[in-house]
Amino acid sequence: MSNQLLKGKKGIIFGALNDQSIAWKTAEKCYEAGAEIVLTNAPVALRMGEINKLAEQCGNAPVIGCDVTSSDDIKNLLEKSIEHFGGKIDFILHSVGMSLNVRKGNHYTDLNYDWEHKTLDISAMSLHRVCQAAYQMDAINDWGSIVALTYIAAQRIFPDYNEMADAKSLLESIARSFGYHYGVRNKVRINTISQSPTMTTAGSGVKGFGGFLGYADKMSPLGNASAEDCANYCVSLFSDLTRFVTMQNLFHDGGFSSTGVTQAIIDQMEK
Ligand code: NAI
């Protein structure tokens, strides 16, 4: 049964690639909670066509292509969304990430900097682009909410997370910095959710991801948080129940970030 926490709210969801995507689950949960949504992804991802199923499930939500490295695409997306909704936006989910060096198998000590630029642009600066376009167009209602997804490799070393660790540090910093300016002008809040490792297309691009996922699960008192639970957390952050939460990096990780060791890991080491 839906709680209708987002009744009357309108939002844009970036990054639903397939039904494993965190953005996919979040779109479903937002719709269930009463929101109207617009879906977006990079044109190349839209060509796969999967997103049309999601759009249908979410009350025939419009699907608008947008490469997050293009300011023109972002402006067009915001304009078309406002036109569709007949008014301003209440929330945005930034669920976008890609590492070119990881994809090409380059070690952190042997990065190609052209690719790193692109990684930082797609995975981090894009949050600034979205916030700046929305701010300059005055596209978000007062007390609106922007959430981006991040990972704890921004604070601690996970060697195979590679250049994405640096991208996530920048992403979290942008949420804090823009959160200040948007908060002062429009009470718009900006937060990052630091999610447990999750089996998705982006997640499984990380080397040794299966082992990594199992380790995190054993290191978390509650176990790994699922994509669906992450979606529920997003709904709460888009709702009016969290109006004074802003400029935070919020761990949604079953307690992983506060845990030194668990009995399950000790037992494993003693085997
Ligand atoms: P996913 O692969 O389903 O989503 C990544 C999305 O980024 C895709 O929809 C892709 O099309 C989009 N994207 C890539 N380049 C783009 C561009 N130039 N313009 C627009 N969109 C672009 O994977 P997932 O896991 O749902 O990823 C969502 C977010 O969650 C990412 O920021 C990821 O880093 C973050 N995250 C994922 C974790 C995991 O273990 N899966 C853990 C913590 C955070």
Side-chain angles (χ1 to χ4, degrees), residues 3-21:
N3 48 40
Q4 296 295 295
L5 261 185
L6 302 183
K7 194 166 172 45
K9 294 201 186 292
K10 299 160 171 56
I12 301 178
I13 311 261
F14 284 81
L17 183 66
N18 53 38
D19 62 5
Q20 291 183 310
S21 301

Side-chain angles (χ1 to χ4, degrees), residues 37-51:
I37 55 171
V38 164
L39 297 168
T40 180
N41 210 327
V44 57
L46 294 189
R47 281 201 282 280
M48 292 168 60
E50 296 244 348
I51 202 169

